Amino acid sequence: MNKEHSTFSLIADFDGDISTLFSKPVAETLPILPLRNMVLFPGVVAPVTVGRESSLKLIRQAEKNGGMIGVVCQRIPNIETPQFEDLFTVGVAAKVMKVIDLHGSTSVILQSYSRIELEELTKIRPYHRARVHQLEEILPDEDDNEYIALMDACKETTMRLLRASETPREEAILAIKNINHPVFLGNFICTNLPFSVEEKAELLEISDQKERAYKLLTILNREYQFAMLKQNIQMQTREELDQQQKEYFLQQQIKNIQSELGESINEDVVALRKAADKANLPKKARAAFEKELAKLERIPMQAPDYNVQLNYLQTLTTLPWGKKTQDNLNLNNAERQLNRDHYGLEKVKERILEHLAMLRVSGKMKSPIICLYGPPGVGKTSLGKSIAMALGRKYVRISLGGVHDEAEIRGHRRTYVGAMPGRIIKALIKAESSNPLFVLDEIDKVSDRNHNGDPQSALLEVLDPEQNNSFHDNFLDLDYDLSGVMFVATANTLSTIPRPLLDRMEIIEVEGYLAEEKKEIAKKHLIPKAHENVNFEGGKLKFSAAAIDLLVEKYTRESGVRQLEKQIEKVFRKVALKDATIDGDSVSYLNTPLKAKQIEELLGKPLYNRDIYQGNDYAGVVTGLAWTAVGGEILFIETSVSKSKAPKLTLTGNLGDVMKESAVLALEYIKAHADDFGLDYRIFDQWSIHVHVPEGATPKDGPSAGITIATSLMSALSGRKVRENTAMTGEITLRGRVLPVGGIKEKILAAKRAGIKHILMSKENMKDVQEISEKYVSGLDFHFVEDVKEVLDYALLNTKAKHAVDVKAEDVEEKK
């Protein structure tokens, strides 16, 4: 390779007429020496390092015969064998003054003469030869003051430029001072100063020395201004350097020294490379890792960005890329696991077993995205853990309650100090598996759109099977496949969950536990769990069936079993306290099952009372069945009638709009069919009717009391007695049809607890009764009806109630 020598070129020692130097005869064809990144001007002596085989042959031949050679610069320096179009056409004729061989490299001293122009290349092997012609040099007059002043300006500017450079070149400054001839001075500056080769080639093409000097001065002024600007910037930067930036430069130097010595640069880098090799990163993730690791190597350990970069790379290598656990597809084992951990919840268990069955058949089925919704304390979250154990998957719970920042889901961008991945990616790292079971707890309590983004919309990508195979975390800045993750979301209500999010999940309602189920849960789960934390020296604390019944019925009122668990724990605490006292009598509570009376001694008087059937002595009092969030209840519809000059219907008991409408419908139906029921239509113009539902502080609403209100109205107006131990539930229409209602299981159990024997409901609710276990419906007599007349025919007896009001219409005409 031919390149500029590390020292400056010199000026030829010439004392005669300069024009003879530039007019020295040149042959029509010359050997051509192509140079890289160097343009030689007439009258300059320059050292050149020669590396190409063809150039070495040319130099040896020229040294031997002492002939002229042509020296030109390549347009593209990395071409090994340049063609005519790869060379600048204007160069110089030169002679080889001396060849120096030193340490395996060859340098040659060239003396340049006149300018030449290439016409065409005639040979390339063994070295380049070309047809050339000599170019005329237009020299200024010796007394041309303009040219002399022009070159003085070039000289001063050059010296200022050299002094302003980062590494002042004293030898060059000294050489310029000693050059007296203006033509040689210009050519020396053109050869040695670091302009671009394109600009040097343009200067060499100019024949007029004065024109070349003007062009040179323009370039020198530009370079000087640029050097001063650069110097000012460096000065400002140097003044603003703080201790951290100084340490950065020192660290860079240390790193370079360590690199030269072959020492380990950074223990973190070594550890990350090992982790990346074990992580089995996919192609894109590996490329990102290598790119970011290179950045980490350039950042000083004391810089704030170092920890951000290190955290990113550690996150990248600790993610479970492609790691999956083997699903346990044994259906019997899964069913045993689910039944062991949870009592009831048959629909949820059935759905999980269905998924396992499909996996056994296909093996490629996407994991379901299930949303369990229901009241608090019914076991939605713990059910997710049981599902994970049944499947043999890793279990991770992500609490979404109160999440108001989209970055909590998608992660923070790494432009922030302290940036971190979102909860989804962090949960995957925690699980150490790409197919864990995620419980997204309290998904209904995620905040909606605010100034921190929309976390609910961020969940759309997570829970969409068509999108989550390329989930994008802002911190990770890579796509991650979530299609193997099984998501189980939990919620107390669906009303706060956006519709697009609901569409992506399979909604399964987890109903509140029945009293009977709570008793079984207390016996099989809660009491044994409490025993795990207590060790009584005197024996073991046991509960009788009556004690458990009392705890469920009189000390709790909830859908789940959290309060029941607290009451059981309270019993254990009370007994433990008595056991710890010196004169304690706690022994009397141990070993023998606790009775209901002892529960009252420990916990005090019951907190709640269950309604019981109140008999059928009064006309207009009918027992209805209601569903509440804490289970089924019985309620009483009371109707009284009174003579009035302005008859009206009064409804009390904190009733909702739907329940009020049911009362209006029932009354209008009875009015329309008064003749069928043996009522005088005139009573509605002379008697006011008052319907009341006791416990006025409790809001009540819903259509299921329709037939109960109709029966109550008919009993009060007719005075007929209501059949004993009878309750009912059902919606009515204006035509008298009885429509189905919900909560049948809870209502039936409430009726059974209250001592009800006969239950009336819509014929369409027969299917709901058939789904209930036989033990819950035994001893009950069901009557399925389609019309209100059927209800009244069965519920009302033909005998008068004891306290019935005799409702009669007066003859208005006879009174006049």
Side-chain angles (χ1 to χ4, degrees), residues 86-103:
D86 300 323
L87 302 171
F88 288 105
T89 55
V90 177
V92 294
K95 278 191 174 182
V96 176
M97 305 296 294
K98 189 175 183 181
V99 178
I100 303 170
D101 293 317
L102 185 64
H103 302 302

Side-chain angles (χ1 to χ4, degrees), residues 432-447:
E432 299 179 348
S433 168
S434 288
N435 65 335
L437 184 140
F438 278 3
V439 171
L440 303 179
D441 212 8
E442 311 290 357
I443 197 172
D444 56 322
K445 297 175 180 62
V446 179
S447 299

